[in-house]
Amino acid sequence: AAAQSFDLGRPATEAEVAAWDIDIRPDGMGLPEGSGDVWTGEELYVDLCASCHGDFGEARGRWPVLAGGDGTLTDDRPVKTIGSYWPYLSTVWDYVHRAMPFGQAQMLTDDEVYAITAYLLYLNYIVEDDFTLSHENFTEVRLPNEENFFLDDRAEAELAAFSDEVCMTDCKDAVEITARAAVVDVTPDDAAARERREAAAAGADAG
Amino acid sequence: MVHRTTRRGLLKGGLATGAALAAAGGARAEGDPAILELQEWNQFLGEGVDARPYGFPSEFEAHVKRRNVEWLTADPVSSVNFTPLHELDGIITPNGLCFERHHAGIAEIDPAEHRLMINGLVETELVFTMQDLLRFPRENRVYFLECAANSGMEWRGAQLNGCQFTHGMIHNVMYTGVPLRYLLETAGLKTNAKWLLPEGADASGMTRSVPIEKAMDDCLVAFKMNGEALRPEQGYPVRLVVPGWEGNMWVKWLRRIEVGDEPWHHREETSKYTDLLENGTARRFTWEMDAKSVITNPSPQAPILHDKGHTVLTGVAWSGRGTIPRVDVTLDGGKNWHQARMDGPSLSKSMHRFYYEFDWDGSPLLLQSRAHDSTGYVQPTKNELRAFRGENSIYHNNGIQTWYVDEKGIAENVEVS
């Protein structure tokens, strides 16, 4: 179709774009000038992050685990962290800067984000404790799991198997129940809904 | 069909009080009090037209509501709730029942203060107000929005007892909005424009990378759902609509779209919304939602409460790749299948409604549904999916659901061999 342009909207100013365009890419596009070291990062982390994510990135309660889990991706219960799973350091910088701390997003200065990012690398045994992260050395840091992601291949890997002719009659000899949710028993109850249903059915039956 | 002792009546009498049984017995002797006695609504005046300027459902439908599962997430602010599929019919989800998924709660935005910016690889970086957006040509389209994690708790086996919980991270509404390509063409795409980064105005600053082909094809920037303004929890005043693709990409409270030449690999497409396989590698950019279906009635939250005989089985089916021309259902765990009756509109990337009416003989049932989409794809079993992916993918579980219905009509989420 031919392009359809409409004379609507107005040009964004440089300041407006700068205020909102905060995203970072793996190639470093978007990174602001600045730097921060591991020890500065630790102080910030202890003050602002550890109450949810734990002193060592191990997390409290169900909050996200940030460190550890190396080599667990083929385990029965993988531990997916920055060090064990995330492919790019840019994601750490971008996400901490845009969305953390949870409930007080975008309170961190650029230097503080560099420092916290450096500390998260340290917690994941990716850098030493004297490391300083800056916009200049940022793209030299690679995370361990970068190579283990690949583009969606369902069309090649699965589609043929899931497009077969279907069986309609006498498809199997026996059927056994192999798992039951009632045994697991973790579903919230809703007594009001159950009573409402039963009352409606009883009313109908009374006729 | 009168005055017979039903399974329900016996159950009720046995479980509860003699009074219920006595009342029912009285009804059988003299007739139904619902008919014999003058009802208050038959005699007295009801509320006037000024009582309900924005109406709510009957108080008798108060149990039809979104539910959450506390243990699923650390906190209710970055969390999810579930659409009560077992209480609904047709294909349209009422706005107030559409499931919610937020990452930093519901942003409450004054539309007069809302702006949409387009920046990056465009001829002119632009800012639109809501009033500007309302001056573009509009389209009306019905689409399902399914969370990538819908049924994700079921990868390891039957866990939650009810289709609201196993399949309720989905809704299906009519959107009114502006084709995204109109906005992009107004800004003027540069020749190296290959990817978009839509971004939300909430405190999670939600971002995803979207390929330009999808943006120019069928994405909408929508401001209405089912005829009225978006609900705040669905992105008021404006959200992105990405038909057929995982719900996370439908950025709510849309405030900015950056145009670039490479994807951004942000948190929601690296740490989250990537699908770990058994060998430790992970798929990324698994955007489309594959064909899927579920029987909504009977189901664990909607048992059969009538006697044997005429029984309506119904459910919903959908595919991110097209329409659903056919759904098969089985009553015996997959030994024998029957083609269900499709009813209602058949729209691409929308929910479809199916029915199978049968004569229940009162014996236990193992119910399943199997969707076929317009590309020829057939919904797989959970075990077929696990054979390719293992049990730790979290997302994109479109495996066939089984409900066991016992001789009392009570239904349970199970898996079968």
Side-chain angles (χ1 to χ4, degrees), chain A residues 193-203, chain B residues 8 11-12 15 305:
Chain A
R194 197 176 58 248
E195 284 159 17
R196 170 58 51 197
R197 260 192 328 265
E198 291 181 355
Chain B
R8 233 348 297 150
L11 196 67
K12 189 83 185 168
L15 283 175
L305 293 173

Side-chain angles (χ1 to χ4, degrees), chain A residues 5-12 16 20, chain B residues 111-119 124-136 178-188 221 237-238 254-257:
Chain A
S5 182
F6 298 84
D7 183 19
L8 292 166
R10 57 144 178 102
E16 287 171 338
W20 276 10
Chain B
E113 300 298 323
H114 190 73
R115 305 287 181 269
L116 174 59
M117 178 186 291
I118 296 181
N119 73 302
T124 311
E125 298 185 316
L126 291 175
V127 172
F128 298 105
T129 63
M130 289 306 298
Q131 285 304 310
D132 294 330
L133 295 181
L134 293 171
R135 296 170 65 189
F136 283 90
V178 178
L180 176 54
R181 66 178 179 279
Y182 291 168
L183 303 184
L184 297 173
E185 286 169 350
T186 295
V221 172
V238 62
L254 181 69
R255 79 165 191 179
R256 188 172 71 95
I257 297 171

